[in-house]
Amino acid sequence: MLRILRRLAGASSVALLAVLAPTLSRGFEGAPGSAVSDSLFHQTRPLMGTEAEVFLYADTEPRALELFEVAFAEMERVEEALSTYRPTSELSRINREAGDHAVTTDPEVFGLIREALSFSARVDGAFDITVGPLVRAWGFFRGQGRRPTADELANARRRSGWEKVSLDARARTVRFLVPGVKLDMGGMGKGWALDRAGKILRGLGVEAALLSLGRSSYLALGAPPGTQGWLITLPDPLSPERILSRVRLRHRALSTSGSREKYFELDGRRYGHIIDPRSGVPATGGLIQVSVTGKTAVGSDMLSTALFVLGPEEGRPVLEEESSANALMVMEGVEGSRLIRLDWPWGMGR
Ligand code: AMP
Ligand code: MG
């Protein structure tokens, strides 16, 4: 029996078509049928400056609609807490006040900042949520990108560095040791939103769902009935109509970081939005894209950003220390691209 995919209010017809007749460009294939009574439902909504997408199996359409409401509401809640584009967010409040005094924050945001700082220590500062001033200096905050002057860069470097954030776990406070530090969770917020929404769906009894934010982050709960996992096709960043890899996710997350989503060109060089916090300059290791799969979406999200900065040599030992993570790197090559698989178990190409 073939599963019926029902179109729900708000679902985009493009994505619907992709499921019914998978296209290489969209990167998701529907599941084959099986003998259970649940049907596959799907909805997309704009979120975090991109498109959030949820596929889930449910027994009735009203039930599916309820579940979508809860999942998207949770992602919106996370965006409202972490977005630096929203002055009302908890992160924006911390950015405004923590240079002056210790700011008490909620357990969720405190926990995330703590997790980010401890990850920074593990990757020697390649991942650093204090990149805010650098992201701004390079024009990637509300801008198209630009090269800062030497003064601007020096000034931004003085105001970033994960060791300039002081946390007090007992009081649950955040304090910047230098004024002007700005936290930016662009490298982990999507992953966190997916983990949170996934946890809520699981708590409501959903056994199989795939959640994604843009092309960059996926979280798979369970697997479509009768399959080994949700099949996601990663497009080749240099020719998106071609498949780079086919990944099967089951209780697992996938995150991709790339220089091509936001960059500018100057004097024949490409400057992307992922900054090497150690030099203050956009990462220049010759990487075009890094994909990571791991147990949690937030962990995979942080790791893909860090590996993009570290590159294959420095990245390999870091990856070996992370439990159960795999990475696929696309490097600039003499002709086209060169692929580096770091324990990447999934098939390549078609
Ligand atoms: P992602 O697409 O997950 O790799 O995240 C990239 C975003 O994270 C950028 O647009 C910045 O907002 C932020 N970012 C840039 N460089 C870094 C870095 N080295 N560590 C942490 N976040 C970063
Ligand atoms: Mg990331």
Side-chain angles (χ1 to χ4, degrees):
M1 180 188 92
L2 266 179
R3 295 248 143 258
I4 302 162
L5 179 84
R6 291 178 216 182
R7 185 164 180 203
L8 301 171
S12 98
S13 54
V14 179
L16 177 82
L17 275 178
V19 175
L20 291 177
T23 59
L24 303 186
S25 59
R26 189 57 196 80
F28 170 75
E29 250 177 41
S34 74
V36 293
S37 57
D38 284 357
S39 300
L40 177 62
F41 296 89
H42 167 238
Q43 216 179 81
T44 64
R45 292 191 194 175
L47 235 135
M48 291 192 167
T50 181
E51 188 176 74
E53 193 161 14
V54 176
F55 293 89
L56 56 82
Y57 282 84
D59 52 358
T60 65
E61 185 165 328
R63 176 66 180 155
L65 284 171
E66 264 173 38
L67 294 167
F68 285 133
E69 279 316 313
V70 176
F72 287 115
E74 180 64 4
M75 290 191 248
E76 273 158 25
R77 189 193 63 75
V78 171
E79 180 178 16
E80 177 51 36
L82 302 185
S83 173
T84 46
Y85 290 91
R86 297 190 182 183
T88 49
S89 75
E90 178 64 359
L91 210 67
S92 294
R93 186 178 74 87
I94 292 171
N95 284 342
R96 275 194 305 273
E97 297 179 12
D100 293 333
H101 56 87
V103 177
T104 306
T105 187
D106 59 72
E108 178 182 21
V109 172
F110 186 86
L112 278 176
I113 296 175
R114 186 157 63 176
E115 189 169 346
L117 298 181
S118 90
F119 186 67
S120 292
R122 297 211 298 280
V123 296
D124 284 332
F127 181 91
D128 188 338
I129 54 169
T130 68
V131 285
L134 291 165
V135 169
R136 281 159 213 247
W138 285 93
F140 289 117
F141 182 74
R142 296 188 200 283
Q144 295 305 305
R146 58 182 270 275
R147 183 155 52 194
T149 64
D151 274 359
E152 285 169 334
L153 188 58
N155 188 23
R157 290 190 71 184
R158 267 195 298 279
R159 293 183 289 120
S160 60
W162 61 276
E163 284 152 318
K164 294 169 187 161
V165 181
S166 163
L167 298 183
D168 180 336
R170 278 218 301 198
R172 220 196 305 121
T173 57
V174 188
R175 172 91 164 98
F176 300 152
L177 303 179
V178 171
V181 171
K182 292 221 177 310
L183 305 182
D184 175 336
M185 291 201 169
M188 64 191 290
K190 289 194 181 89
W192 179 246
L194 294 181
D195 282 338
R196 286 291 323 171
K199 189 167 181 204
I200 288 185
L201 288 182
R202 245 194 322 267
L204 291 170
V206 175
E207 285 175 6
L210 181 72
L211 296 80
S212 79
L213 273 163
R215 286 269 185 88
S216 59
S217 298
Y218 291 86
L219 176 69
L221 305 188
T227 72
Q228 297 295 312
W230 294 89
L231 181 62
I232 295 161
T233 54
L234 270 178
D236 182 331
L238 295 184
S239 29
E241 71 289 351
R242 298 221 316 251
I243 291 178
L244 186 65
S245 180
R246 291 168 178 273
V247 181
R248 275 212 185 266
L249 289 186
R250 182 164 188 274
H251 295 309
R252 221 171 153 73
L254 167 70
S255 167
T256 299
S257 288
S259 54
R260 307 274 158 142
E261 21 186 283
K262 241 195 235 178
Y263 68 89
F264 68 96
E265 280 177 10
L266 190 69
D267 304 332
R269 269 203 53 192
R270 198 185 292 263
Y271 296 89
H273 66 127
I274 299 177
I275 313 260
D276 186 339
R278 303 165 302 180
S279 60
V281 172
T284 51
L287 278 169
I288 298 168
Q289 181 172 290
V290 176
S291 296
V292 166
T293 70
K295 283 190 202 143
T296 66
V298 71
S300 309
D301 198 354
M302 293 197 296
L303 194 53
S304 67
T305 307
L307 291 180
F308 193 90
V309 170
L310 291 169
E313 279 81 35
E314 282 186 279
R316 189 182 294 273
V318 164
L319 192 72
E320 279 164 7
E321 277 175 26
E322 297 299 314
S323 63
S324 151
N326 322 90
L328 175 65
M329 296 183 167
V330 185
M331 298 279 291
E332 273 166 27
V334 184
E335 280 172 37
S337 59
R338 190 161 67 86
L339 297 178
I340 299 172
R341 297 169 71 163
L342 299 174
D343 297 328
W344 190 256
W346 289 282
M348 308 300 295
R350 281 211 63 97

